[in-house]
Amino acid sequence: MPSSQRQKDVCDLLDADHKAVKKMFKDFDALCESRARNAPQMRLDLAREICIELTVHAQVEEELFYPALRDAIKETDLIAEAEVEHQTAKDLIAQIQAAETADEAFDAKVKVLGEYIDHHVKEERNEIFPKARAARKLDLVALRDEVAERKQELMDEQLAVA
């Protein structure tokens, strides 16, 4: 079925997150070029927003998407690799969130995180999502609803402490 006729599934939902975060990283890069007086604070704020988005995204993948996928496909090495990539991203996220100023090292960490996420997204799009969509015993539309609900809960929690 062409993608315009099939119902949106969990892969579409997760990929929408990917696209939103990619735009945020582009906005961050533009702020790095900005000479505005408030650019450093704007970079700090945007980086924290990126970190919240990525934290929530990674958590719903780890709690719901990856376990469902692990039960439905044979090649689970891709999932293990994705989980390791998440952990490395979380380490960088923690460093970014702990920063008090947007200096050169801070900007470098955010840029490296962006490159890292870009690599991770390509693997999900090109390898994991096609395998998920080919798995017969996986209801990706029901999983989309479950992920969307959990994502909203986690986002509410993040915003309550931010």
Side-chain angles (χ1 to χ4, degrees):
M1 211 184 283
S3 62
S4 61
Q5 292 180 343
R6 73 171 168 76
Q7 217 175 349
K8 297 270 188 203
D9 64 20
V10 70
C11 299
D12 295 311
L13 176 70
L14 295 172
D15 206 39
D17 287 354
H18 296 157
K19 289 173 183 159
V21 169
K22 185 168 183 75
K23 183 190 179 311
M24 294 168 84
F25 278 115
K26 282 184 179 175
D27 292 346
F28 184 88
D29 288 343
L31 280 173
C32 287
E33 303 300 316
S34 173
R35 300 214 184 281
R37 261 185 325 118
N38 62 344
Q41 186 60 50
M42 290 171 68
R43 290 197 319 269
L44 267 175
D45 293 344
L46 181 55
R48 288 189 176 120
E49 198 178 323
I50 289 169
C51 290
I52 288 170
E53 291 290 330
L54 290 174
T55 299
V56 167
H57 178 87
Q59 191 167 338
V60 295
E61 282 187 337
E62 291 166 8
E63 284 181 9
L64 302 168
F65 182 59
Y66 292 162
L69 198 55
R70 192 177 291 282
D71 290 341
I73 67 171
K74 286 186 175 79
E75 300 99 3
T76 56
D77 57 319
L78 288 173
I79 300 165
E81 187 179 328
E83 290 168 334
V84 170
E85 289 172 350
H86 277 195
Q87 188 54 55
T88 304
K90 287 178 195 174
D91 294 343
L92 262 178
I93 287 168
Q95 292 175 42
I96 292 165
Q97 288 176 318
E100 294 180 22
T101 58
D103 57 13
E104 215 173 67
F106 175 84
D107 292 347
K109 287 173 186 173
V110 176
K111 286 181 181 186
V112 168
L113 179 63
E115 291 165 1
Y116 204 76
I117 296 302
D118 205 40
H119 165 81
H120 179 73
V121 165
K122 283 182 183 135
E123 286 187 348
E124 283 194 344
R125 277 188 189 147
N126 298 331
E127 298 178 52
I128 294 177
F129 291 170
K131 286 187 183 344
R133 288 184 170 132
R136 300 229 183 272
K137 57 183 178 180
L138 197 53
D139 184 345
L140 297 177
V141 175
L143 191 55
R144 174 204 65 202
D145 295 342
E146 196 178 341
V147 166
E149 185 179 322
R150 181 65 177 137
K151 192 176 156 206
Q152 188 58 57
E153 289 170 7
L154 292 169
M155 197 56 81
D156 291 347
E157 286 173 19
Q158 287 286 329
L159 296 175
V161 295

